[in-house]
Structure formats: C-alpha cells, structure tokens
Amino acid sequence: MFKNKRKREKRENMELDITSLLDILVILLVFLLKSYSASELRLDVAKGIRLPSSDSKTMGNHALIIQMNQKRHIWLNNKLLDESGNLDKLAQELSKYKDDKEKKEFVNIVLDQELEYAQIKELMTLIASNGYPKLKLIVKGDY
Amino acid sequence: MKAKKKKKLEKLNLIPILDAIFIFIFFLLMSAQFIDIYQLETEAPVTQAVSKEEIKDKEPLNLKVIINDKNVVIKTGLSTSKSKSFDSTEEGLKNMQQYLTKLKKSHPKEKTVTIAPKNKVTYKKIVPVIDKVKTATDKGIAIELFSLVVFEN
C-alpha cells in the first residue's frame, strides 16, 4: 500500500506544464500568419539590391529571375553570372532556355533602385531579344 | 472521493493542439516572406507602328510619358501633339494621375502607354510614375488607367 502511494507520487511529478509554451506558440503563430504570402514567386533578393517601393498589389508568378545590383553584378535564378557588367554571359544562359518546353514568355526582373535607365534599357533589350518580351519588374510593397 | 473525480476532469489535454500548432508553424515558416514582394507588368523597349486604318478611324491617343530628372512630361496625339509637364514630387505625380484619369475618360478604349525615361533617371523615379499611370483611385475605388506599359526604345 505504501509502495503504491510512492509510485503515484512519482508519476504525478513527471507531468509537464506546457501552458506557457502554448502561449508562446500562439503568439508566434500570429506573427507567422501576418507574414504569410500567397504569392507563388519565391525570391531571395541578391546581396546589395534595394528594391523600389510601389503601390502595386499584383502577386508575382514563378518564372526565370534576373537580378542586377548597383555594381552591375548579374544573377540568373540566384546564380551569380557576371561581376563586370558584361551581358554576354546572360545572353548565353538565356539562349539555353530557348527550346525549353516549360518556357514562359516573361521573366522577373529584380533591379536595384539606384540603377540608371541606360543600364536598365540595355538589360531589358537583351532579355527581349532572347525571347522574353514581357518583363515583370519586382518591387517592394509600399506602406 | 467525488471531489477528486471532478478535479481530474478539469485538466485539459493540450498535447494534440500543440502537435497541430507545430505542424502549422512548419508550413507557415516555409511560406513566410518577410518583405512584401509584388510585380509591375511591363513590356520591353520597342518601336511602335500605327497603321493608317487606325488613324482614319480615330486618331489614336498615342500617350507618351517622358521622365526627366525633375519633371514628367505627358505627350498625346500623332499629327498635332499636346504636352503637359508635372513635377516629380508626390504632389506633382498626383496631379499627373488626375490628368491621366481625364484622358482615360475621353479615350476609354486606350490601354497602352509608352514610358520614355531619360538615360540618367534612376529606377526609383521610374517606378512611382508607372504606378500612377497604371491605376488611380476615385473615392476609394480603384480605376484601371493605362495598364499596358511599354518602354520606348
């Protein structure tokens, strides 16, 4: 009888109070729900790129992602292509997608807000001449 | 003895809820994006041609927005072109949007706008102009203005 009582005491001591943990999780849930995005575009903005703010509310779509920072470093789908501002490597890479069956007629362009239009035009013309006439400019939501 | 039974019933088993929340958190973390990313649809630099039939029917609006460093000039018309200048400030861009809303009302079928920034103009000055050219809000209702944005070659 005495032994049984001791056993029961031991079991009761092993119970954990998870209420405080649950509180934290619920708070975390609220913040995660706030940052939830229904957009199908998953984007890792390359180093040194500051996106311009826009009033646009159009969600991004999945496609090729071309990024250029202020120093004219170029990325294609998160892979650094060139650090000298030369667009030849990009043209070569884009030509590889010409016969791709899943190829879309648009690309997502991520540009630094300080880039000048002369540089942007050069990039856009090259992309268009490689079979992508529609360009989706990726911007940051305005608050 | 009865009192003991009551106490046991009061305790809630939170473990299944905790399990569900953990799974939920995993999916939310996967889909979380800590900066709001949106897109602006545009078309690459092109040279546009207007057919003679189009001109016969009704002279097209031929809307062109020239972005300079300190101002934005709006040009319309083919044979007789009109132009109007606005400051690049927020106030100036709002006035430009009102002007474009009037233009849209007089040419409801027109959707194309040609954007022609000067070479030295930075990207952050081009984006707000595209925003204002594409949509406007009238008494809290969003109005589509010129949704097809084409860059001039």
Side-chain angles (χ1 to χ4, degrees):
Chain A
M1 184 73 177
F2 187 66
K3 261 186 180 177
N4 278 347
K5 209 180 176 184
R6 275 185 113 183
K7 261 188 182 176
R8 205 185 291 158
E9 268 178 8
K10 251 189 178 177
R11 264 185 205 166
E12 276 176 5
N13 281 339
M14 277 173 76
E15 247 181 45
L16 269 171
D17 185 13
I18 53 166
T19 323
S20 50
L21 178 67
L22 204 65
D23 288 348
I24 294 165
L25 286 177
V26 171
I27 292 164
L28 191 65
L29 205 65
V30 173
F31 285 102
L32 284 172
L33 277 170
K34 268 195 84 181
S35 65
Y36 172 75
S37 162
S39 165
E40 68 174 73
L41 175 67
R42 289 278 159 262
L43 176 68
D44 294 320
V45 180
K47 199 182 167 189
I49 294 182
R50 286 158 302 155
L51 294 173
S53 299
S54 164
D55 301 333
S56 173
K57 291 283 172 238
T58 315
M59 295 284 188
N61 298 103
H62 179 70
L64 281 182
I65 301 167
I66 296 165
Q67 308 193 49
M68 188 192 257
N69 69 6
Q70 209 185 344
K71 291 175 183 168
R72 285 174 60 95
H73 297 175
I74 299 159
W75 287 262
L76 175 67
N77 283 343
N78 295 329
K79 186 184 152 199
L80 181 64
L81 288 183
D82 195 83
E83 288 189 2
S84 62
N86 192 339
L87 298 175
D88 294 344
K89 191 92 186 269
L90 178 65
Q92 272 177 25
E93 287 291 322
L94 286 177
S95 63
K96 287 180 189 170
Y97 292 93
K98 264 184 182 169
D99 302 320
D100 191 351
K101 278 181 187 173
E102 286 175 22
K103 186 194 152 199
K104 291 176 181 170
E105 63 170 356
F106 63 87
V107 284
N108 293 309
I109 303 184
V110 184
L111 301 168
D112 188 88
Q113 62 176 2
E114 295 297 337
L115 273 172
E116 288 176 356
Y117 181 64
Q119 298 163 327
I120 299 170
K121 189 165 78 174
E122 194 187 347
L123 178 73
M124 289 197 296
T125 311
L126 179 119
I127 296 167
S129 61
N130 278 284
Y132 299 95
K134 292 192 175 177
L135 311 168
K136 312 249 175 176
L137 305 176
I138 303 299
V139 288
K140 192 172 70 180
D142 209 359
Y143 297 102
Chain B
M1 195 67 180
K2 266 183 185 176
K4 235 183 187 179
K5 265 189 179 175
K6 254 191 176 176
K7 264 187 187 172
K8 271 188 180 176
L9 281 171
E10 274 172 15
K11 260 195 175 178
L12 271 170
N13 185 11
L14 298 171
I15 295 161
I17 304 168
L18 207 62
D19 287 347
I21 290 175
F22 264 119
I23 293 163
F24 200 31
I25 281 174
F26 171 76
F27 284 105
L28 283 172
L29 270 173
M30 287 279 289
S31 67
Q33 212 147 36
F34 297 99
I35 44 167
D36 275 346
I37 285 173
Y38 298 103
Q39 68 178 23
L40 279 171
E41 288 176 46
T42 59
E43 298 216 355
V46 287
T47 313
Q48 276 186 308
V50 182
S51 67
K52 278 184 181 174
E53 279 174 21
E54 263 182 287
I55 300 168
K56 256 186 191 176
D57 209 28
K58 189 193 173 186
E59 188 168 287
L61 182 63
N62 194 30
L63 179 64
K64 186 175 171 181
V65 179
I66 302 162
I67 309 171
N68 296 311
D69 202 33
K70 287 184 179 165
N71 70 339
V72 180
V73 180
I74 293 184
K75 277 191 171 182
T76 51
L78 265 180
S79 50
T80 50
S81 76
K82 269 188 191 175
S83 66
K84 202 167 164 60
S85 175
F86 300 91
D87 287 340
S88 288
T89 56
E90 200 164 318
E91 192 61 36
L93 291 179
K94 270 186 187 170
N95 291 338
M96 180 195 80
Q97 199 177 35
Q98 282 170 3
Y99 178 69
L100 289 171
T101 312
K102 278 180 194 169
L103 276 179
K104 179 70 181 177
K105 277 178 188 167
S106 56
H107 298 81
K109 283 185 181 175
E110 290 281 353
K111 281 188 172 180
T112 311
V113 56
T114 309
I115 302 276
K118 295 287 174 203
N119 281 347
K120 288 278 173 192
V121 174
T122 54
Y123 185 43
K124 70 176 173 192
K125 284 187 178 171
I126 301 170
V127 170
V129 177
I130 299 176
D131 275 340
K132 298 280 185 289
V133 157
K134 277 183 160 248
T135 49
T137 45
D138 187 23
K139 292 164 194 168
I141 301 162
I143 310 163
E144 190 183 84
L145 296 177
F146 303 94
S147 55
L148 189 62
V149 175
V150 183
F151 281 96
E152 193 191 52
N153 204 348

